[in-house]
Amino acid sequence: MASAGSVLKRVLVGRPFRSDSLGETLLSKKLALPIFASDAMSSVGYATQEIMLVLAIGGVALYHLTGWAALGVIAVMVVVVASYRQNVRAYPSGGGDYEVATVNIGHNAGLTVASALAVDYVLTVAVSISSGVDQLTSAFNSLRPYKLEIVVGMILLIALVNLRGVRESGRAFAIPVYGFVVAILGMGVWGLVRTLSGDELRAPTADYEVHSATAAPSGVLLVFLVLRAFASGCTALTGTEAIANGVPAFKKPKSQNAATTLAIMGGLAVAMFATITTLAMHTQVRVVDPEEGFLTAPDGTIVTGQDTVVAQVAESVFGRSAPFYVVTFMTTIILVLAANTAFNGFPVLASILAKDRYLPRQMYARGDRLAFSNGILLLAGAALVLVIAFNASVSKLIQLYIIGVFVSFTISQFGMVRHWTRHLRTERDPAGRARMRRSRVINSIGLAMTGTVLIVVVLTKFVRGAYLAAIAMALIFLVMKGIRRHYDHVADELRVQPDETRTLPSRVHSIVLVSNLHKPVMRALAFARATRPDSLVALTVNVDDNATRKLQEQWDRYDIPLPLVIVESPYRDITKPVIDYIKRIRREGPRDLVMVFVPEYVVGRWWEKLLHNRSAFRLKSRLLFMPGVMTTSVPWQLQSAKGLSPEEPPWQRPGSLRQGIDAAGRPLPQPRRD
């Protein structure tokens, strides 16, 4: 009978998949797009707003620069997508930026990329879901007091869906992702139709006045502010690298399908980003970072709550009608589902790092549904800590964002330039050399642009919170180096040398621990006798004279042909007297082996575990650190555990023990009849 925990797991996660069914979970392009591209496409839901929030520091007069900053972002986006199409063709194993950097630059570069991506994935979950809930509260203002609780619930829900498997999460997320694309592009088409028809489209905040907490910048400060706006808008590029990390999840031909999906994703993201930015400028949307200024309504009252840019654009195009709620709902869903990209990218990356011994080996194993369950749970836990620490504030979380992804972008592009340069030395086919030169030019342009953006991001965001992301990256880097160092030391210590002397122990001494004379002890005695050691004793610790005297009487009555050794414990401690007794044996024969048989109850209910075996657990924990000592647990299944264990062989059944049959099939001495 399955336990309650097992039943709950099957209800939430589903039945386990066989390992040989992994091929059935591979993705077509139409399913891979919503899984791996939801982050990149959803970033357009807040990239325009991030540009306008920064420009608002200089007042309404700087809003006209939104379009220029957006054009810069689009240019970088096109180059990065083209560059990553070269990556997926050259490295289809799924290592992505980590593999590119490790192979072409070195292990430290690879770990730098891995730590940057890890930080970026955690921030993707936190920022996207928090931003999605902002969209939701823009449509339903009564939910604003419960924003943090909604964000936490969303993270747990996305994690649960991904624990059910990659293919199943693709089916669940396909409709919302494609629905978001249709909603945004449809809003752009309808806004164009209304404009051409002569309708005036004005955002609800078009007549609001922007008040900045600082004076309007000029000169160098103005240039710095525009660069900061551009850097904030580059959040639209997050998630582009996810497809490069997920190539193994595609159906064959893997590289070609991944490159095609990457191109489709880039085209849709550019189209939607341009649509939202154009409509926001045309409808005169006003937004202000609450920490940098505020808005006032035409009557002079200060605006305390702001709707998002997408919500304002949708209201100006559709009014507060059904399409407005469709756009808001789809934007909320896609921003929440953007976390799904991280939930697919991070576990794969963690698995590769675990294979290379930079993360615990548990990260390498797939779960029941052939998903990397441990990586999913680790990512969910880290994201929960982050949103709770920052109270799910997008304006605070966004300052930590994108530095990690652009570190990986830049190092990856440098690695790809070195990759093509190395292969050009050995390639002799003219067509192949021409193709490699073209790819190197694309990656060189990508290196120049992503490196420039990285410098801008560091200069404009470092003191505003990006330093926290840099510290996290450094800590993760050091932790991974430490884990690899530990695994290397263990491997060196356990490695068998060809000339190593292999000696058998001189003698084997067996000790059966006894507290009472009951069935578990009788079984342990039978097992110990079956091993035929050189010496065998039963050992008990005297912490109660009456109980010890009763045990000795029972021992004599049953005429057990083994000596019962009683060690004293004046301080009522059980563990130390046993340890001291074993140490004496080891001192007398340093080459001897001591086997300690520990009878234990096996219980079926969680609360029963608190009532039994605590002394045995403490003792075994101490014995593990003693050289030349082996511990053998002898289980006895209580009635509550009978349904959880397979059927016992006849000689292990309680009835057989009552008949006096030991593990070797010999009769045990029967109790004397006085």
Side-chain angles (χ1 to χ4, degrees):
M1 183 181 298
S3 65
S6 177
V7 172
L8 179 62
K9 180 181 178 181
R10 291 291 158 257
V11 171
L12 295 177
V13 179
R15 63 177 180 82
F17 289 157
R18 289 171 54 92
S19 297
D20 55 12
S21 65
L22 181 61
E24 300 174 9
T25 66
L26 297 180
L27 304 170
S28 62
K29 293 189 289 292
K30 65 181 180 182
L31 282 181
L33 185 66
I35 288 179
F36 292 113
S38 56
D39 180 21
M41 291 195 294
S42 70
S43 299
V44 304
Y46 54 83
T48 302
Q49 176 168 310
E50 292 306 314
I51 294 174
M52 300 184 73
L53 285 173
V54 174
L55 293 176
I57 298 174
V60 177
L62 294 186
Y63 273 147
H64 73 280
L65 297 175
T66 301
W68 293 105
L71 284 175
V73 172
I74 290 173
V76 176
M77 190 182 300
V78 171
V79 171
V80 168
V81 169
S83 300
Y84 270 92
R85 281 169 57 84
Q86 316 308 313
N87 289 33
V88 298
R89 291 192 175 102
Y91 293 92
S93 62
D97 294 342
Y98 166 71
E99 183 180 5
V100 171
T102 301
V103 172
N104 297 289
I105 306 176
H107 291 287
N108 285 337
L111 288 183
T112 301
V113 168
S115 60
L117 287 175
V119 171
D120 177 67
Y121 281 134
V122 174
L123 284 166
T124 293
V125 176
V127 171
S128 61
I129 293 184
S130 299
S131 181
V133 175
D134 275 349
Q135 297 285 344
L136 181 66
T137 56
S138 293
F140 304 98
N141 295 336
S142 59
L143 296 178
R144 279 181 179 156
Y146 310 102
K147 176 184 174 181
L148 180 59
E149 291 79 1
I150 297 173
V151 169
V152 170
M154 291 289 188
I155 292 175
L156 295 176
L157 178 62
I158 298 295
L160 177 61
V161 173
N162 278 276
L163 287 173
R164 295 185 64 88
V166 174
R167 190 175 181 88
E168 190 156 338
S169 66
R171 292 195 186 99
F173 300 155
I175 294 176
V177 171
Y178 289 122
F180 172 71
V181 173
V182 172
I184 296 299
L185 296 182
M187 180 175 67
V189 171
W190 186 245
L192 178 62
V193 170
R194 288 194 59 189
T195 301
L196 295 177
S197 301
D199 293 341
E200 183 181 10
L201 304 181
R202 290 179 62 81
T205 58
D207 296 324
Y208 287 14
E209 187 174 347
V210 175
H211 299 269
S212 177
T214 58
S218 60
V220 176
L221 292 179
L222 178 60
V223 174
F224 186 81
L225 186 66
V226 174
L227 289 176
R228 181 180 157 193
F230 166 71
S232 296
C234 284
T235 54
L237 278 77
T238 57
T240 307
E241 80 290 345
I243 291 179
N245 295 331
V247 177
F250 283 82
K251 289 183 176 180
K252 296 181 179 180
K254 296 179 181 292
S255 295
Q256 182 59 42
N257 287 336
T260 302
T261 305
L262 194 54
I264 295 172
M265 178 204 73
L268 291 175
V270 167
M272 291 187 292
F273 179 56
T275 297
I276 294 174
T277 303
T278 302
L279 286 174
M281 296 178 65
H282 180 69
T283 59
Q284 302 178 46
V285 169
R286 303 286 185 262
V287 285
V288 175
D289 186 341
E291 296 184 1
E292 303 284 357
F294 57 93
L295 294 175
T296 56
D299 60 1
T301 58
I302 298 177
V303 179
T304 56
Q306 298 181 79
D307 290 343
T308 62
V309 168
V310 173
Q312 292 191 50
V313 168
E315 185 172 354
S316 65
V317 173
F318 298 116
R320 286 271 176 170
S321 59
F324 162 79
Y325 290 100
V326 170
V327 172
T328 304
F329 178 74
M330 286 300 177
T331 305
T332 300
I333 295 298
I334 190 62
L335 285 168
V336 171
L337 296 188
N340 189 59
T341 299
F343 275 107
N344 282 276
F346 176 80
V348 173
L349 175 64
S351 173
I352 295 172
L353 290 168
K355 184 180 179 181
D356 292 343
R357 295 182 296 178
Y358 288 113
L359 284 181
R361 290 172 180 167
Q362 296 91 323
M363 296 294 168
Y364 179 66
R366 293 180 181 268
D368 289 349
R369 303 283 288 186
L370 298 179
F372 295 106
S373 304
N374 291 324
I376 292 171
L377 294 175
L378 177 61
L379 178 61
L384 286 173
V385 170
L386 202 59
V387 297
I388 292 173
F390 286 86
N391 200 31
S393 171
V394 177
S395 61
K396 294 179 180 178
L397 290 169
I398 206 73
Q399 305 302 328
L400 284 67
Y401 209 17
I402 79 172
I403 186 173
V405 73
F406 273 96
V407 166
S408 64
F409 282 172
T410 304
I411 296 177
S412 172
Q413 296 311 302
F414 179 62
M416 287 301 298
V417 171
R418 297 190 66 173
H419 167 85
W420 297 123
T421 301
R422 187 177 69 252
H423 281 271
L424 277 169
R425 296 194 189 105
T426 58
E427 181 63 48
R428 294 293 177 262
D429 178 46
R433 290 181 63 84
R435 184 175 63 255
M436 289 180 182
R437 287 196 185 96
R438 183 174 63 252
S439 297
R440 186 171 64 173
V441 168
I442 294 174
N443 288 123
S444 297
I445 297 173
L447 171 62
M449 297 196 72
T450 56
T452 301
V453 174
L454 177 60
I455 294 173
V456 172
V457 169
V458 171
L459 292 176
T460 59
K461 287 181 172 288
F462 193 80
V463 297
R464 300 183 62 82
Y467 71 93
L468 295 174
I471 293 173
M473 289 165 52
L475 291 176
I476 294 173
F477 179 92
L478 294 175
V479 168
M480 289 193 293
K481 293 281 283 189
I483 291 173
R484 175 60 185 262
R485 192 180 305 113
H486 167 78
Y487 279 135
D488 288 345
H489 288 170
V490 171
D492 291 339
E493 189 174 345
L494 300 182
R495 186 176 294 111
V496 178
Q497 302 298 334
D499 57 347
E500 185 175 335
T501 303
R502 301 176 180 87
T503 59
L504 295 176
S506 300
R507 293 185 300 171
V508 177
H509 304 280
S510 292
I511 300 172
V512 179
L513 299 182
V514 177
S515 58
N516 293 293
L517 193 56
H518 44 42
K519 293 176 182 178
V521 169
M522 298 299 287
R523 175 176 290 180
L525 293 172
F527 285 0
R529 292 179 64 185
T531 62
R532 300 183 182 277
D534 293 284
S535 67
L536 173 61
V537 299
L539 181 68
T540 189
V541 179
N542 180 21
V543 295
D544 185 329
D545 291 337
N546 293 330
T548 303
R549 192 179 303 111
K550 181 179 179 181
L551 173 62
Q552 184 67 67
E553 292 173 356
Q554 290 179 313
W555 202 266
D556 296 337
R557 185 183 312 120
Y558 278 80
D559 196 19
I560 298 176
L562 294 176
L564 176 64
V565 177
I566 302 173
V567 293
E568 298 295 330
S569 178
Y571 296 102
R572 299 162 302 283
D573 180 29
I574 295 177
T575 302
K576 189 176 184 302
V578 175
I579 299 295
D580 292 341
Y581 181 83
I582 295 172
K583 285 181 178 179
R584 285 197 298 271
I585 297 176
R586 291 282 299 150
R587 280 196 299 268
E588 294 171 1
R591 291 182 54 191
D592 294 351
L593 173 68
V594 179
M595 293 185 63
V596 182
F597 292 82
V598 183
E600 294 187 67
Y601 308 131
V602 178
V603 298
R605 303 181 183 92
W606 67 269
W607 55 267
E608 291 179 312
K609 296 177 182 179
L610 304 175
L611 307 178
H612 302 284
N613 299 323
R614 309 314 301 172
S615 298
F617 176 78
R618 290 193 297 271
L619 179 60
K620 288 193 298 181
S621 300
R622 291 285 301 276
L623 293 176
L624 286 174
F625 295 93
M626 295 186 65
V629 178
M630 295 179 59
T631 305
T632 302
S633 295
V634 184
W636 179 275
Q637 290 79 18
L638 294 179
Q639 192 63 41
S640 62
K642 291 296 183 181
L644 303 178
S645 60
E647 185 178 356
E648 296 174 324
W651 60 271
Q652 281 192 355
R653 292 174 184 166
S656 298
L657 288 173
R658 284 196 295 269
Q659 295 168 10
I661 300 174
D662 69 7
R666 298 185 297 268
L668 287 172
Q670 300 297 310
R672 292 196 300 265
R673 298 183 182 277
D674 297 332

